Every structure is written in C-alpha cells, then in structure tokens.
Amino acid sequence: MEDGDKAAAGLGTLRAVLAILQWWGFNVTVIIMNKWIFQKLDFKFPLTVSCVHFICSSIGAYVAIHVLKAKPLIEVEPEDRWKRIFPMSFVFCINIVLGNVSLRYIPVSFMQTIKSFTPATTVILQWLVWSKHFEWRIWASLVPIVGGILLTSVTELSFNIFGFCAAMIGCLATSTKTILAESLLHGYKFDSINTVYYMAPFATMTLALPAMLLEGGGVINWFYTHNSVVPALIIILGSGVLAFCLNFSIFYVIHSTTAVTFNVAGNLKVAVAVLVSWLIFRNPISAMNAIGCGITLVGCTFYGYVRHLISQQQAAAPGNLPRNQMEMLPLVDDKQEKL
C-alpha cells in the first residue's frame, strides 16, 4: 500500500513538473515570437497581431470543446453573454492589445517586470474604487514589488515612455478583468478553455474594425514591401496558434499543481522569459536593472505566499473573524487563470 502511495505521489510530482515546463515553454515562445514579429519581421501592427490571436483562440476553443471534447461547454444565457461576458471581453481585449503594444516599444525583460506589478494594481484598485480593506501583511508584501518596479524603470537602458505606459495600463486592465470576474461571472465556474470560448469571439469583434481602420493600410503596404511574406505569415499565424495553446496549458498546470507551486512557478516563468529574451535579442541590461527585476519577482512570490496564508486562516476559522477582517484578501483566486 505504501509503495502504491509513493508511486502515485511520484507520478503526481512528475505530472506537475511536466505541466509547469510545457506552460513555461508556450508562454516564453509566444512572448519571443511576438517580439520577433515586431522587431525582426518589421510587422509593427500590434492590433492586427492581437486580432490574429483572438481568431486563432476562437477556433481553437471551439475545436477543444466541440470536437476534442477536452472540456464540457458551460452554458451561458444569451442575455448574460452581453451583460456579463461582453464587458469582460472588452477589458480582456484591451489587456492583450496593450501587452502587444508594449512589446513593440520596450524589451521583453522590461515588459515582463512591469507586468509583475499587477498584484499591486489589483489591491490598490480594490482599495480605492471598491473600498476594500486589507490586512497590513498584504500591504507590506507589496513594498518589494513597488520598489523593484521603480528600480527597474529608473535603470532601464532601453526605456520608452509609450511602451512603459502601455504596460502599466495593461496591468490596470488585468486587475480590472480579475475584479470584474468576481461580480460579472458570479454563478459561473469558468475554466480557461470556456473563458476563451466565450471571450475571444467578442474580443475579435471589438478589435477587427479598429485594426482595419488604423493598421489596414500599413499591413497592405507591408505585404508589398516585405521580402519573405509567406514565412513571415507562418510565424504570425503560428504565434496565434501558440497563444491558444498557452491558455490550454494553463488549464493543465492549474489542475496539476498546488496554489503555492503555481505562484512560484509563475514568477520563475518571468525570470525564464527575461533570460531567454536577453539571449535572443541581446537588449542591454545593467546590474541594477537585473537586481530590480529580481526584487520584483521575490516580492511577487512573497505576496502570493501571504495571500495563501491569509486564505488558509480564513478557511480554518471564518466564523471567528470580524466582518471587516473577512475582506482582507484581494479578489483573485489562489490559482488565477492568466489569459
């Protein structure tokens, strides 16, 4: 019996490691491919790239649910699709677009570090807008995140104000999406595949017209002037397919790891993305910049650990906590499904 338990535990550990590695692989590959598209292919159209991603994700989610039967379809009332799903999709669209816009102007290392600011923007938004109150440990855990971001921004050798602002507003969009999910999607237990199934078509519809109006002429001109159009198109479409695969991999890793492991792996993933991007694009990184990035990632890990401790305390003795103490935890799941 003990041998069977050990074998099961070993198999579970192996499954978790493989899940994390494939999640890292898809995530880093999508980021690097997007940067390659903007920098090496000279396809400087983030709205169009985002639209391609949404189209591929829409098709991929449909195939995963209706053809492969990977997940059962969660039925949503038609009225709820417009009242609940569409606002979420709009914020989701803004989040993805701003991420791609920032990639066009700033290095992957800097963009990924700024994205790590999301826990702080989530807490601050809930405090300012929704009047949520948090325990001092939550606020203390944000100090290294904010300090690391400030140090990284001040010492960034390839700083671009437009890319920086796009990444920061993207953090706000991510936080807004997370917070809205708690109220708008109340009663629906979405996994990452069903989330993409409902949100990606709305996001495509939202972005298609602005992409054609703002970038259509430039895309047509790129087709006529670029030397190797077919290989470039394969890379662009490939990035869209991998973007959907990334969401599928998130579903797998969430169900294969604990909340703490997911948090630590998520922050290590940022470090891997920074390292790989530097090896490929060789963007200059100063020592102080690297230290700032490290401080930010350590702060994110500490923040996740504090949240996990508080959630365990609330689960252990919910009746013993004062009403104002019950709202100390930010409105994010221990295993947030990062789209």
Side-chain angles (χ1 to χ4, degrees):
M1 187 69 181
E2 290 183 358
D3 291 339
D5 291 339
K6 289 180 179 178
L11 186 62
T13 302
L14 178 62
R15 181 185 176 189
V17 171
L18 292 176
I20 290 171
L21 289 177
Q22 54 90 34
W23 177 40
W24 284 4
F26 281 124
N27 188 275
V28 174
T29 303
V30 169
I31 294 171
I32 297 301
M33 285 184 73
N34 286 350
K35 185 64 177 178
W36 188 275
I37 289 168
F38 296 133
Q39 185 169 318
K40 301 296 184 180
L41 300 184
D42 202 33
F43 191 84
K44 302 184 183 300
F45 309 106
L47 298 184
T48 304
V49 171
S50 301
C51 206
V52 170
H53 286 192
F54 292 142
I55 293 171
C56 291
S57 293
S58 299
I59 297 172
Y62 182 89
V63 171
I65 291 176
H66 292 290
V67 180
L68 301 179
K69 308 293 183 182
K71 288 291 292 183
L73 176 64
I74 298 174
E75 297 291 344
V76 178
E77 295 294 329
E79 184 179 359
D80 282 345
R81 295 187 185 189
W82 286 101
K83 287 186 176 180
R84 297 188 180 193
I85 304 296
F86 180 72
M88 285 286 298
S89 301
F90 184 75
V91 179
F92 170 58
C93 177
I94 293 174
N95 177 34
I96 299 298
V97 169
L98 288 173
N100 284 330
V101 169
S102 65
L103 267 181
R104 177 184 169 183
Y105 293 99
I106 59 178
V108 172
S109 56
F110 190 31
M111 187 273 281
Q112 285 287 289
T113 305
I114 295 174
K115 292 289 286 183
S116 299
F117 193 58
T118 301
T121 56
T122 304
V123 172
I124 293 170
L125 269 180
Q126 290 177 82
W127 176 59
L128 289 176
V129 180
W130 281 268
S131 300
K132 293 278 291 183
H133 298 285
F134 303 106
E135 189 185 343
W136 68 270
R137 286 181 293 178
I138 289 291
W139 291 107
S141 67
L142 297 179
V143 172
I145 299 177
V146 176
I149 292 293
L150 288 174
L151 180 59
T152 304
S153 301
V154 170
T155 58
E156 175 58 46
L157 299 177
S158 303
F159 185 87
N160 178 283
I161 187 63
F162 190 73
F164 172 78
C165 290
M168 288 297 295
I169 298 173
C171 289
L172 290 173
T174 302
S175 299
T176 302
K177 177 176 69 69
T178 302
I179 296 169
L180 287 178
E182 293 290 333
S183 55
L184 293 178
L185 301 185
H186 181 70
Y188 293 105
K189 293 186 177 180
F190 281 113
D191 53 77
S192 58
I193 305 302
N194 273 276
T195 301
V196 173
Y197 179 85
Y198 284 107
M199 288 189 183
F202 276 128
T204 304
M205 181 180 66
T206 302
L207 192 59
L209 185 59
M212 286 189 290
L213 292 177
L214 297 175
E215 298 181 347
V219 172
I220 293 173
N221 182 63
W222 178 87
F223 267 99
Y224 283 106
T225 57
H226 193 72
N227 295 327
S228 305
V229 173
V230 175
L233 287 178
I234 292 174
I235 294 174
I236 294 170
L237 290 174
S239 72
V241 173
L242 290 176
F244 167 74
C245 292
L246 171 60
N247 286 291
F248 202 88
S249 73
I250 292 171
F251 157 72
Y252 180 42
V253 77
I254 281 174
H255 291 278
S256 303
T257 62
T258 64
V260 175
T261 302
F262 184 76
N263 172 56
V264 174
N267 293 308
L268 287 177
K269 170 180 63 65
V270 176
V272 172
V274 169
L275 177 61
V276 173
S277 70
W278 179 79
L279 290 174
I280 293 175
F281 298 105
R282 294 291 179 176
N283 56 288
I285 300 178
S286 65
M288 292 303 294
N289 190 260
I291 292 173
C293 179
I295 292 173
T296 303
L297 297 182
V298 171
C300 288
T301 304
F302 179 57
Y303 166 81
Y305 177 69
V306 169
R307 285 190 59 257
H308 182 68
L309 284 180
I310 294 176
S311 65
Q312 285 187 324
Q313 291 173 3
Q314 291 183 354
N320 297 330
L321 293 174
R323 189 175 184 278
N324 66 328
Q325 295 286 305
M326 293 294 289
E327 296 186 346
M328 293 188 303
L329 199 61
L331 286 175
V332 287
D333 296 330
D334 276 339
K335 290 182 174 184
Q336 180 185 342
E337 299 198 9
K338 302 177 182 179
L339 297 178

